[in-house]
Amino acid sequence: GLMGVGTPLGAAEPDLVAPLRGLSVQRGPETVALGTLFDARAPTVVSLWASYCVACRGESATLVSAGKQWGATVLVVLSDVDDRDAAAKFRRETGTPFDLIPVAPAQDDAVEAVAPEGFPTNFLLAGGRVTRIDRLLEPADLALFFSNR
């Protein structure tokens, strides 16, 4: 669940943020560390997501509002076992405005470290704070976390 306004980044770095930063993802032909794609001081939502996950599909509107209402950068990280065509189809059909950033292959342990409860797993980051939400992200989560920055 959501723990208040979030853990200070320094305290959470070893457990929460370091594995997230280190996760290898694919950007076009390149493999990069996910941490190069976000600034943890700025409002950010990182959603670990899969098109076959029913709850994940229900998060789309909340992720859109994270960007529109709270000005957050939203990174949707696609499960390494997802069917990319199915994910792209879902994105087209729902008009989801985010790039789907695939996890690089052969990273089961790394994904497990970041999302121990499976999908969806969401990280909210802002102003040196972070929280991990191991369930469907709800608008109230965004309000509680981002309004306290």
Side-chain angles (χ1 to χ4, degrees), residues 3-31:
M3 302 175 307
V5 297
T7 309
L9 265 183
E13 186 79 24
D15 300 329
L16 289 182
V17 183
L20 187 68
R21 286 188 203 279
L23 192 64
S24 293
V25 296
Q26 295 183 296
R27 294 300 273 165
E30 294 184 10
T31 298

mmCIF file of all heavy atoms in Angstrom, residues 3-31:
data_model
loop_
_atom_site.group_PDB
_atom_site.id
_atom_site.type_symbol
_atom_site.label_atom_id
_atom_site.label_comp_id
_atom_site.label_asym_id
_atom_site.label_seq_id
_atom_site.Cartn_x
_atom_site.Cartn_y
_atom_site.Cartn_z
ATOM 1 N N MET A 3 2.510 4.344 1.618
ATOM 2 C CA MET A 3 2.950 4.678 2.968
ATOM 3 C C MET A 3 3.130 6.185 3.077
ATOM 4 O O MET A 3 4.175 6.715 2.719
ATOM 5 C CB MET A 3 4.265 3.962 3.269
ATOM 6 C CG MET A 3 4.138 2.456 3.131
ATOM 7 S SD MET A 3 5.693 1.587 3.337
ATOM 8 C CE MET A 3 6.776 2.393 2.172
ATOM 9 N N GLY A 4 2.087 6.863 3.487
ATOM 10 C CA GLY A 4 2.164 8.295 3.741
ATOM 11 C C GLY A 4 2.695 9.071 2.569
ATOM 12 O O GLY A 4 2.292 8.868 1.446
ATOM 13 N N VAL A 5 3.638 9.952 2.841
ATOM 14 C CA VAL A 5 4.136 10.843 1.800
ATOM 15 C C VAL A 5 5.402 10.302 1.160
ATOM 16 O O VAL A 5 6.001 10.951 0.327
ATOM 17 C CB VAL A 5 4.394 12.269 2.348
ATOM 18 C CG1 VAL A 5 3.099 12.874 2.828
ATOM 19 C CG2 VAL A 5 5.424 12.258 3.455
ATOM 20 N N GLY A 6 5.814 9.108 1.548
ATOM 21 C CA GLY A 6 6.971 8.512 0.900
ATOM 22 C C GLY A 6 8.200 8.528 1.770
ATOM 23 O O GLY A 6 8.341 9.330 2.685
ATOM 24 N N THR A 7 9.082 7.638 1.465
ATOM 25 C CA THR A 7 10.334 7.486 2.186
ATOM 26 C C THR A 7 11.370 8.424 1.580
ATOM 27 O O THR A 7 11.429 8.542 0.359
ATOM 28 C CB THR A 7 10.815 6.026 2.013
ATOM 29 O OG1 THR A 7 9.738 5.166 2.356
ATOM 30 C CG2 THR A 7 12.015 5.717 2.878
ATOM 31 N N PRO A 8 12.187 9.086 2.405
ATOM 32 C CA PRO A 8 13.263 9.897 1.813
ATOM 33 C C PRO A 8 14.143 9.032 0.917
ATOM 34 O O PRO A 8 14.427 7.873 1.242
ATOM 35 C CB PRO A 8 14.041 10.396 3.030
ATOM 36 C CG PRO A 8 13.084 10.302 4.173
ATOM 37 C CD PRO A 8 12.183 9.138 3.861
ATOM 38 N N LEU A 9 14.557 9.596 -0.211
ATOM 39 C CA LEU A 9 15.329 8.817 -1.173
ATOM 40 C C LEU A 9 16.575 8.194 -0.556
ATOM 41 O O LEU A 9 16.894 7.053 -0.833
ATOM 42 C CB LEU A 9 15.760 9.704 -2.342
ATOM 43 C CG LEU A 9 14.856 9.689 -3.558
ATOM 44 C CD1 LEU A 9 15.450 10.561 -4.641
ATOM 45 C CD2 LEU A 9 14.627 8.292 -4.086
ATOM 46 N N GLY A 10 17.283 8.927 0.262
ATOM 47 C CA GLY A 10 18.495 8.389 0.861
ATOM 48 C C GLY A 10 18.221 7.106 1.620
ATOM 49 O O GLY A 10 18.956 6.125 1.500
ATOM 50 N N ALA A 11 17.135 7.086 2.363
ATOM 51 C CA ALA A 11 16.776 5.917 3.165
ATOM 52 C C ALA A 11 16.311 4.765 2.280
ATOM 53 O O ALA A 11 16.531 3.598 2.590
ATOM 54 C CB ALA A 11 15.679 6.278 4.164
ATOM 55 N N ALA A 12 15.669 5.088 1.181
ATOM 56 C CA ALA A 12 15.060 4.059 0.341
ATOM 57 C C ALA A 12 15.981 3.582 -0.768
ATOM 58 O O ALA A 12 15.716 2.583 -1.410
ATOM 59 C CB ALA A 12 13.773 4.600 -0.280
ATOM 60 N N GLU A 13 17.048 4.306 -1.002
ATOM 61 C CA GLU A 13 17.902 4.028 -2.164
ATOM 62 C C GLU A 13 18.330 2.560 -2.264
ATOM 63 O O GLU A 13 18.176 1.951 -3.308
ATOM 64 C CB GLU A 13 19.124 4.949 -2.135
ATOM 65 C CG GLU A 13 19.987 4.848 -3.371
ATOM 66 C CD GLU A 13 19.449 5.610 -4.569
ATOM 67 O OE1 GLU A 13 18.678 6.568 -4.383
ATOM 68 O OE2 GLU A 13 19.790 5.234 -5.684
ATOM 69 N N PRO A 14 18.850 1.954 -1.195
ATOM 70 C CA PRO A 14 19.326 0.576 -1.351
ATOM 71 C C PRO A 14 18.201 -0.388 -1.718
ATOM 72 O O PRO A 14 18.382 -1.280 -2.539
ATOM 73 C CB PRO A 14 19.898 0.232 0.021
ATOM 74 C CG PRO A 14 20.118 1.530 0.703
ATOM 75 C CD PRO A 14 19.089 2.470 0.151
ATOM 76 N N ASP A 15 17.027 -0.209 -1.123
ATOM 77 C CA ASP A 15 15.958 -1.185 -1.288
ATOM 78 C C ASP A 15 15.059 -0.906 -2.486
ATOM 79 O O ASP A 15 14.691 -1.812 -3.214
ATOM 80 C CB ASP A 15 15.075 -1.220 -0.037
ATOM 81 C CG ASP A 15 15.870 -1.595 1.197
ATOM 82 O OD1 ASP A 15 16.843 -2.345 1.054
ATOM 83 O OD2 ASP A 15 15.528 -1.113 2.281
ATOM 84 N N LEU A 16 14.684 0.338 -2.668
ATOM 85 C CA LEU A 16 13.674 0.660 -3.672
ATOM 86 C C LEU A 16 14.258 1.203 -4.960
ATOM 87 O O LEU A 16 13.931 0.739 -6.047
ATOM 88 C CB LEU A 16 12.694 1.709 -3.127
ATOM 89 C CG LEU A 16 11.718 1.283 -2.043
ATOM 90 C CD1 LEU A 16 10.802 2.450 -1.689
ATOM 91 C CD2 LEU A 16 10.876 0.115 -2.509
ATOM 92 N N VAL A 17 15.095 2.217 -4.834
ATOM 93 C CA VAL A 17 15.447 2.985 -6.021
ATOM 94 C C VAL A 17 16.632 2.401 -6.775
ATOM 95 O O VAL A 17 16.653 2.411 -8.004
ATOM 96 C CB VAL A 17 15.682 4.463 -5.667
ATOM 97 C CG1 VAL A 17 15.971 5.285 -6.908
ATOM 98 C CG2 VAL A 17 14.460 5.024 -4.964
ATOM 99 N N ALA A 18 17.616 1.857 -6.069
ATOM 100 C CA ALA A 18 18.795 1.321 -6.755
ATOM 101 C C ALA A 18 18.416 0.230 -7.773
ATOM 102 O O ALA A 18 18.855 0.292 -8.924
ATOM 103 C CB ALA A 18 19.827 0.826 -5.754
ATOM 104 N N PRO A 19 17.579 -0.758 -7.386
ATOM 105 C CA PRO A 19 17.199 -1.758 -8.392
ATOM 106 C C PRO A 19 16.416 -1.151 -9.563
ATOM 107 O O PRO A 19 16.557 -1.583 -10.704
ATOM 108 C CB PRO A 19 16.324 -2.750 -7.618
ATOM 109 C CG PRO A 19 16.624 -2.515 -6.182
ATOM 110 C CD PRO A 19 17.041 -1.080 -6.063
ATOM 111 N N LEU A 20 15.593 -0.142 -9.252
ATOM 112 C CA LEU A 20 14.817 0.520 -10.301
ATOM 113 C C LEU A 20 15.754 1.245 -11.266
ATOM 114 O O LEU A 20 15.638 1.107 -12.484
ATOM 115 C CB LEU A 20 13.844 1.510 -9.664
ATOM 116 C CG LEU A 20 12.834 2.173 -10.585
ATOM 117 C CD1 LEU A 20 11.828 1.160 -11.097
ATOM 118 C CD2 LEU A 20 12.121 3.307 -9.865
ATOM 119 N N ARG A 21 16.691 1.999 -10.733
ATOM 120 C CA ARG A 21 17.657 2.721 -11.578
ATOM 121 C C ARG A 21 18.466 1.764 -12.444
ATOM 122 O O ARG A 21 18.802 2.070 -13.579
ATOM 123 C CB ARG A 21 18.647 3.502 -10.715
ATOM 124 C CG ARG A 21 18.123 4.739 -10.062
ATOM 125 C CD ARG A 21 19.313 5.467 -9.407
ATOM 126 N NE ARG A 21 18.932 6.336 -8.335
ATOM 127 C CZ ARG A 21 18.455 7.574 -8.499
ATOM 128 N NH1 ARG A 21 18.291 8.063 -9.691
ATOM 129 N NH2 ARG A 21 18.160 8.312 -7.442
ATOM 130 N N GLY A 22 18.798 0.584 -11.873
ATOM 131 C CA GLY A 22 19.686 -0.336 -12.563
ATOM 132 C C GLY A 22 19.009 -1.256 -13.564
ATOM 133 O O GLY A 22 19.691 -1.947 -14.327
ATOM 134 N N LEU A 23 17.683 -1.268 -13.593
ATOM 135 C CA LEU A 23 16.969 -2.157 -14.505
ATOM 136 C C LEU A 23 17.317 -1.810 -15.950
ATOM 137 O O LEU A 23 17.224 -0.648 -16.346
ATOM 138 C CB LEU A 23 15.459 -2.015 -14.266
ATOM 139 C CG LEU A 23 14.546 -3.039 -14.915
ATOM 140 C CD1 LEU A 23 14.810 -4.443 -14.347
ATOM 141 C CD2 LEU A 23 13.091 -2.652 -14.701
ATOM 142 N N SER A 24 17.719 -2.793 -16.728
ATOM 143 C CA SER A 24 18.061 -2.542 -18.140
ATOM 144 C C SER A 24 16.798 -2.547 -18.986
ATOM 145 O O SER A 24 15.986 -3.475 -18.902
ATOM 146 C CB SER A 24 19.025 -3.608 -18.655
ATOM 147 O OG SER A 24 20.261 -3.499 -18.006
ATOM 148 N N VAL A 25 16.644 -1.501 -19.785
ATOM 149 C CA VAL A 25 15.485 -1.386 -20.662
ATOM 150 C C VAL A 25 15.961 -1.081 -22.075
ATOM 151 O O VAL A 25 17.101 -0.677 -22.285
ATOM 152 C CB VAL A 25 14.506 -0.281 -20.179
ATOM 153 C CG1 VAL A 25 13.911 -0.641 -18.820
ATOM 154 C CG2 VAL A 25 15.185 1.088 -20.126
ATOM 155 N N GLN A 26 15.063 -1.274 -23.016
ATOM 156 C CA GLN A 26 15.416 -1.038 -24.411
ATOM 157 C C GLN A 26 14.814 0.264 -24.900
ATOM 158 O O GLN A 26 13.621 0.503 -24.743
ATOM 159 C CB GLN A 26 14.950 -2.214 -25.266
ATOM 160 C CG GLN A 26 15.710 -3.476 -24.892
ATOM 161 C CD GLN A 26 15.339 -4.651 -25.758
ATOM 162 O OE1 GLN A 26 14.204 -5.096 -25.741
ATOM 163 N NE2 GLN A 26 16.298 -5.141 -26.507
ATOM 164 N N ARG A 27 15.674 1.102 -25.462
ATOM 165 C CA ARG A 27 15.243 2.342 -26.110
ATOM 166 C C ARG A 27 15.719 2.244 -27.540
ATOM 167 O O ARG A 27 16.898 2.433 -27.820
ATOM 168 C CB ARG A 27 15.854 3.568 -25.426
ATOM 169 C CG ARG A 27 15.371 3.773 -24.019
ATOM 170 C CD ARG A 27 13.881 3.978 -23.918
ATOM 171 N NE ARG A 27 13.500 5.350 -24.077
ATOM 172 C CZ ARG A 27 12.247 5.749 -24.311
ATOM 173 N NH1 ARG A 27 11.285 4.882 -24.442
ATOM 174 N NH2 ARG A 27 11.970 7.011 -24.428
ATOM 175 N N GLY A 28 14.800 1.889 -28.423
ATOM 176 C CA GLY A 28 15.201 1.631 -29.806
ATOM 177 C C GLY A 28 16.186 0.476 -29.824
ATOM 178 O O GLY A 28 15.982 -0.533 -29.157
ATOM 179 N N PRO A 29 17.293 0.631 -30.538
ATOM 180 C CA PRO A 29 18.253 -0.467 -30.622
ATOM 181 C C PRO A 29 19.166 -0.580 -29.399
ATOM 182 O O PRO A 29 19.894 -1.554 -29.256
ATOM 183 C CB PRO A 29 19.078 -0.114 -31.869
ATOM 184 C CG PRO A 29 18.999 1.376 -31.964
ATOM 185 C CD PRO A 29 17.652 1.761 -31.398
ATOM 186 N N GLU A 30 19.127 0.409 -28.523
ATOM 187 C CA GLU A 30 20.058 0.434 -27.392
ATOM 188 C C GLU A 30 19.449 -0.134 -26.119
ATOM 189 O O GLU A 30 18.247 -0.040 -25.893
ATOM 190 C CB GLU A 30 20.499 1.871 -27.112
ATOM 191 C CG GLU A 30 21.319 2.493 -28.218
ATOM 192 C CD GLU A 30 21.817 3.878 -27.835
ATOM 193 O OE1 GLU A 30 21.674 4.262 -26.657
ATOM 194 O OE2 GLU A 30 22.338 4.577 -28.714
ATOM 195 N N THR A 31 20.310 -0.683 -25.274
ATOM 196 C CA THR A 31 19.925 -1.089 -23.924
ATOM 197 C C THR A 31 20.523 -0.071 -22.968
ATOM 198 O O THR A 31 21.732 0.203 -23.027
ATOM 199 C CB THR A 31 20.452 -2.502 -23.606
ATOM 200 O OG1 THR A 31 19.856 -3.418 -24.531
ATOM 201 C CG2 THR A 31 20.086 -2.921 -22.198
#
